Amino acid sequence: MDLDLTAADEAFRAEARAWLSAQVPAVPLPSLETAEGFSAHREWEHRLAADRWSVVSWPEEYGGRGASLLQWLLFEEEYYAAGAPGRVGQNGISLLAPTLFEHGTDEQRARVLGPMARGEVIWAQAWSEPESGSDLASLRSTAVRTDGGWLLNGQKTWSSRAAFADRAFGLFRSDPDAARPHQGLSYLMFALDAPGVTVRPLGRLDGKPAFAELFLDEVFVPDADVIGEPGRGWQVAMSTAGNERGLTLRSPGRFTAAAGRLAALWREAPQTAGPALGERVADALIGARAYQLFAYAHASRLAAGGSIGAESSLNKVFWSELDIALHETALDLLGPYGMLADDADEAPAHGSWAEGYTFSLAGPIYAGTNEIQRDIIAERLLGLPKGRR
């Protein structure tokens, strides 16, 4: 692993830092899990895209800068260090876009990626179903062939961002007679305002509709919105899942910045905070730095033609548990004020620690539960025999 940056890397980082310093709102935007906040964050995506900062690693023809993976990591570090807003377009940018680059058609990339980069179309992920979460292959929603496309029926749940998003991507059973559950699935994109789609928001612990249930009743999807070969959606979905558990969904910059703010909070805390909390702050700093180095090592490996593979499960378990521990420590430092919501005048840091903690609780569940990831780590990385499955 080479930690020395080139002159081009340093220049890229400096340009990003200068832009963010000038553009990041002085007062945090409202929570993106509200209608008002969602609209404000969509406008922020427009501003990022106008200067080609919304998708820096994409090719220039789709609005990116053609940045390397290492440069993307540097941008993310600067982005979070600047306290920039959360990315409301992340489901599309971090999950669907890499899938389209790998499995989509030229027409799909030309039609979908530009509006995604500009925040004109925000995407929701529609994978989980009642009784079908981590065991994704057990899903029951269907796609039935019709003239010029497919008819979708069924129910999706815990669909991130679907309460306010424009479109969704998901997996559907298109061949009920396939020999195995992983076979006969198709990967489709559909509009959330299409006839036959009902969106019912789901509130999380703080009541904000961060998720939604989707009810699909004879929803027509044209052939042009099928990603990959019909019936081979599982292979396409595993591409999305690899990105979700790998580097792109949760960059280390998110955690190094949060750990830095936690250390500042510790320095401001009264002396009565005690050494035990100090040790937890130190653990968060060490964990964030370890994840950063882990990510740099992966970037070096990928640049040399390697791959991540099952180590993405190791990655996912680590950042999701670090996120909870880091925010719990912050709330313990802040005391009773820590859990005040972002609309409370006395809320520290505009309620960002409480918002971050609530969001972090979902980390061990989405992108494949940590229990399943530990099975994968045990079997594929440690070579242990299969357990409960």
Side-chain angles (χ1 to χ4, degrees):
M1 180 175 63
D2 184 2
L3 295 178
D4 291 330
L5 300 180
T6 65
D9 294 335
E10 294 283 13
F12 177 85
R13 181 199 280 269
E15 184 183 1
R17 181 179 297 172
W19 189 91
L20 290 162
S21 176
Q23 300 294 331
V24 170
V27 176
L29 303 180
S31 170
L32 61 82
E33 310 298 359
T34 65
E36 177 192 11
F38 198 91
S39 177
H41 282 77
R42 188 195 291 267
E43 179 58 33
W44 171 248
E45 295 288 338
H46 290 320
R47 290 170 61 186
L48 284 168
D51 289 325
R52 296 190 299 118
W53 289 111
S54 68
V55 288
V56 296
S57 61
W58 291 11
E60 293 185 9
E61 64 183 296
Y62 300 118
R65 290 172 172 254
S68 66
L69 179 55
L70 176 59
Q71 289 175 333
W72 175 78
L73 289 169
L74 297 177
F75 172 75
E76 291 284 296
E77 288 181 6
E78 295 299 327
Y79 189 89
Y80 285 102
R87 301 296 304 275
V88 73
Q90 194 169 45
N91 281 333
I93 292 169
S94 300
L95 303 180
L96 179 58
T99 304
L100 286 171
F101 281 124
E102 185 172 354
H103 298 280
T105 65
D106 289 342
E107 187 278 330
Q108 287 173 334
R109 287 188 283 270
R111 173 166 52 91
V112 172
L113 294 181
M116 180 193 295
R118 296 188 293 273
E120 295 166 358
V121 176
I122 303 296
W123 290 82
Q125 186 179 17
W127 280 23
S128 295
E129 299 181 2
E131 301 181 19
S132 179
S134 293
D135 185 13
L136 184 62
S138 66
L139 64 85
R140 292 178 292 184
S141 292
T142 60
V144 177
R145 203 78 176 92
T146 189
D147 289 342
W150 301 80
L151 290 175
L152 306 185
N153 285 281
Q155 179 184 353
K156 299 289 184 178
T157 192
W158 304 117
S159 182
S160 305
R161 304 277 143 74
F164 307 112
D166 306 295
R167 293 176 63 82
F169 53 94
L171 205 57
F172 294 84
R173 188 162 302 285
S174 54
D175 181 2
D177 298 322
R180 303 184 62 183
H182 300 78
Q183 299 172 346
L185 301 171
S186 295
Y187 199 120
L188 299 103
M189 302 178 284
F190 57 97
L192 290 173
D193 62 354
V197 178
T198 299
V199 179
R200 189 162 68 184
L202 287 172
R204 61 183 186 187
L205 286 176
D206 59 5
K208 295 171 183 169
F211 311 94
E213 291 179 295
L214 305 178
F215 299 89
L216 309 168
D217 182 11
E218 299 286 281
V219 178
F220 176 75
V221 175
D223 286 326
D225 280 345
V226 178
I227 302 176
E229 183 181 344
R232 296 183 59 81
W234 185 257
Q235 289 79 0
V236 183
M238 290 305 98
S239 173
T240 307
N243 286 295
E244 192 174 26
R245 297 166 191 163
L247 296 179
T248 57
L249 187 65
R250 296 287 176 259
S251 71
R254 171 192 177 98
F255 303 100
T256 52
R261 283 191 277 274
L262 178 65
L265 203 61
W266 164 253
R267 287 191 290 270
E268 297 167 0
Q271 294 300 313
T272 54
L277 272 174
E279 291 177 4
R280 290 165 61 188
V281 173
D283 283 344
L285 285 165
I286 293 168
R289 176 62 171 160
Y291 181 40
Q292 182 187 40
L293 295 175
F294 184 80
Y296 280 144
H298 273 319
S300 297
R301 186 190 305 177
L302 290 171
S307 60
I308 296 180
E311 288 185 37
S312 62
S313 295
L314 196 65
N315 198 45
K316 194 268 174 175
V317 170
F318 188 83
W319 62 246
S320 60
E321 297 186 352
L322 170 63
D323 205 20
I324 292 176
L326 192 155
H327 283 87
E328 282 181 340
T329 304
L331 295 185
D332 287 343
L333 279 168
L334 290 167
Y337 286 94
M339 284 305 292
L340 289 176
D342 53 341
D343 56 356
D345 293 338
E346 300 87 352
H350 300 277
S352 61
W353 287 112
E355 175 96 6
Y357 173 67
T358 305
F359 185 81
S360 74
L361 295 176
I365 301 172
Y366 64 77
T369 65
N370 283 8
E371 287 78 7
I372 296 297
Q373 303 315 309
R374 284 191 163 88
D375 279 351
I376 294 172
I377 293 166
E379 294 168 14
R380 300 182 192 175
L381 295 180
L382 302 179
L384 298 176
K386 287 190 175 183
R388 56 193 157 208
R389 288 183 296 159

